[in-house]
Amino acid sequence: MTDTPLRAAIVPVTAIEQNCTLIWCTATMKAAVVDPGGDLPRILSAVEQAGVTVEKILLTHGHIDHAGEAKPLAEQLGVPIEGPHDADRFWLARLDEDGRNWGIRGVPFEPDRWLVDGDTVTIGDLVLDVYHTPGHTAGHVIFHHAPSRFAQVGDVLFQGSVGRTDLPQGNHPQLIESIVTKLWPLGDDTAFIPGHGKPSTFAHERQHNMFVSDRALSA
């Protein structure tokens, strides 16, 4: 699929098996690392294997497995960090504490750019739309590339499940609202990479997901 404008590779990191994702523009071979929670040598190996140049780090939210080593990676590569929404300042400020609790390195920081609903981010020639999708965390965002019918949704939606909402600032009704009002309108044919587990499509989840299928939500 060399003619596709966007390519993505999943790099599982940390003991929590978080899907760090390398997304790149095939026209320019410029890339972004999404949610580098840890295992930086593994991430850098994937970058080298893909033959791309990382120009930024993107974050969906501030949990330790997604953001723990964002700052060290940014410093090593000399690139900015964009995202999440500033409502996740709470989580980014406590990455060292959460890292000790989870046995994962965590380095607190503030990103170079907070993101809000309606923003865009660029990766090479690609332009991705930003949607604020609170519920799992208050400042969670997702990234969507309409021409490729692709979304990186972090911990909002999974194959067969949804993000947990029992952690501080979690809100289950808000999470369901984010899925229904922000994700579903992007189209059933949208393929997505979640923060954990296997990729899926919105169509598949609307048919089979026991939490947010059309049937479950109409019950």
Side-chain angles (χ1 to χ4, degrees):
M1 300 206 310
T2 56
D3 58 341
T4 185
L6 178 152
R7 295 199 65 183
I10 295 173
V11 186
V13 298
T14 80
I16 308 174
E17 296 186 340
Q18 191 273 124
N19 287 339
C20 173
T21 306
L22 182 64
I23 298 176
W24 68 93
C25 166
T26 57
T28 65
M29 298 303 284
K30 300 286 188 178
V33 177
V34 184
D35 291 353
D39 296 325
L40 296 192
R42 186 179 301 171
I43 295 172
L44 292 170
S45 176
V47 169
E48 182 178 5
Q49 184 174 350
V52 297
T53 301
V54 176
E55 62 177 6
K56 66 185 60 178
I57 292 168
L58 299 175
L59 295 181
T60 62
H61 64 292
H63 281 164
I64 181 67
D65 54 325
H66 292 255
E69 290 203 89
K71 183 63 172 178
L73 181 61
E75 291 177 342
Q76 183 171 345
L77 296 177
V79 299
I81 302 172
E82 299 183 9
H85 186 284
D86 69 1
D88 265 15
R89 192 185 300 263
F90 165 83
W91 288 107
L92 298 181
R94 54 179 282 168
L95 284 172
D96 52 350
E97 176 185 347
D98 287 340
R100 287 191 295 271
N101 292 336
W102 286 93
I104 300 172
R105 183 187 183 196
V107 181
F109 67 96
E110 287 198 6
D112 298 277
R113 178 190 177 196
W114 297 105
L115 298 173
V116 300
D117 198 76
D119 275 349
T120 60
V121 296
T122 59
I123 306 171
D125 292 342
L126 304 174
V127 179
L128 281 67
D129 296 307
V130 176
Y131 294 88
H132 181 211
T133 51
H136 178 64
T137 69
H140 199 297
V141 298
I142 69 159
F143 304 102
H144 177 241
H145 188 244
S148 300
R149 299 184 295 281
F150 167 83
Q152 166 58 257
V153 303
D155 285 0
V156 173
L157 179 69
F158 304 116
Q159 185 185 91
S161 189
V162 296
R164 60 186 295 183
T165 54
D166 58 330
L167 296 171
Q169 299 187 344
N171 184 311
H172 187 74
Q174 191 176 48
L175 178 72
I176 300 305
E177 181 181 2
S178 289
I179 293 170
V180 172
T181 64
K182 299 291 181 69
L183 271 59
W184 289 171
L186 301 180
D188 284 356
D189 59 350
T190 299
F192 70 91
I193 293 177
H196 303 267
K198 297 179 180 179
S200 184
T201 66
F202 292 162
H204 182 86
E205 301 312 307
R206 291 188 71 165
Q207 185 173 359
H208 300 288
N209 192 303
M210 65 181 292
F211 296 96
V212 289
S213 69
D214 294 348
R215 180 181 302 174
L217 293 178
S218 64

